[in-house]
């Protein structure tokens, strides 16, 4: 009995660690991101709706890739995952690629597991977080399981000020 409990705790810890998507936890330079976001007119919460044409959105974030601002959304269609790059001013899909990198795939699978238990789409927690934090803008929304319940971790920015909030998905 005690051995089963220890194994269960170890397995849960391993899942939590494996489920912490490196994709969503990369270091962000707040000054660079604040400057880059000035050119982005598409709110993150609306971008998740745009990406629905490519599959079910399972996470979204603004990031600086090769010195340029990029709006990246992980989607799931069937049992395949893709990264959809959305033009942050026009809202058009700029690129849609299957996820093949092992770490990115692991992150996408963890995000999909959380979204499978969600009762709302990703735009809802992002919009709620923005509404509850006047002047802030969502720059990342990533689902996770906390105690078996789905939540969305939303990163908000107001200038260079960064705030992390957790919103329920059920």
């Amino acid at each position: 009995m005690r051995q089963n409990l220890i194994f269960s705790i170890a397995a849960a810890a391993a899942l939590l660690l494996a489920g912490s998507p490196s994709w969503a936890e990369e270091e962000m330079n707040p000054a660079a991101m604040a400057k880059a976001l000035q050119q982005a007119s598409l709110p993150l919460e609306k971008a998740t709706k745009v990406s629905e044409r490519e599959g079910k959105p399972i996470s979204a974030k603004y990031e600086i890739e090769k010195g340029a601002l990029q709006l990246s959304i992980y989607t799931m269609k069937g049992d395949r995952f893709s990264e959809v790059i959305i033009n942050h001013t026009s809202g058009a899909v700029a690129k849609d690629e299957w996820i093949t990198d092992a770490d990115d795939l692991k992150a996408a699978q963890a995000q999909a597991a959380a979204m499978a238990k969600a009762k709302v789409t990703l735009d809802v927690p992002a919009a709620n977080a923005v509404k509850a934090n006047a002047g802030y803008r969502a720059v990342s929304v990533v689902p996770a399981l906390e105690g078996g319940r789905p939540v969305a971790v939303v990163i908000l920015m107001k200038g260079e000020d960064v705030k992390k909030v957790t919103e329920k998905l059920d």
Side-chain angles (χ1 to χ4, degrees):
M1 176 84 166
R2 180 176 164 89
Q3 190 174 21
N4 285 346
L5 177 61
I6 292 171
F7 176 77
S8 296
I9 292 170
L15 282 174
L16 283 174
L17 290 174
S20 297
S22 60
W23 179 82
E25 295 178 359
E26 296 168 354
E27 283 298 312
M28 175 182 50
N29 177 330
M33 182 59 78
K35 184 175 180 179
L37 280 172
Q38 292 174 0
Q39 57 185 292
S41 57
L42 182 63
L44 187 74
E45 54 273 26
K46 290 191 176 167
T48 61
K49 294 304 263 181
V50 169
S51 71
E52 287 178 349
R53 294 180 296 228
E54 311 304 322
K56 179 181 180 178
I58 57 172
S59 62
K61 73 172 181 174
Y62 273 104
E63 63 185 337
I64 297 178
E65 184 74 27
K66 298 178 184 171
L69 184 66
Q70 177 174 288
L71 177 50
S72 173
I73 301 175
Y74 275 16
T75 63
M76 181 175 87
K77 188 180 276 187
D79 62 349
R80 301 280 314 255
F81 300 100
S82 63
E83 180 179 18
V84 178
I85 306 300
I86 305 285
N87 180 302
H88 53 76
T89 55
S90 72
V93 173
K95 185 168 68 169
D96 184 1
E97 294 181 339
W98 292 118
I99 296 173
T100 56
D101 176 80
D103 289 337
D104 290 345
L105 197 54
K106 187 183 243 184
Q109 289 166 337
Q111 294 161 7
M115 287 306 294
K117 293 187 173 198
K119 293 183 180 156
V120 297
T121 55
L122 279 181
D123 60 307
V124 174
N128 288 345
V130 169
K131 185 176 179 181
N133 294 276
Y136 282 83
R137 144 179 226 167
V139 294
S140 173
V141 58
V142 178
L145 292 173
E146 281 186 3
R149 297 186 70 187
V151 297
V153 178
V154 183
I155 304 297
L156 301 167
M157 286 189 73
K158 179 178 178 180
E160 293 183 27
D161 186 33
V162 179
K163 183 186 281 193
K164 176 179 165 182
V165 297
T166 302
E167 295 282 332
K168 293 179 182 177
L169 286 171
D170 59 358

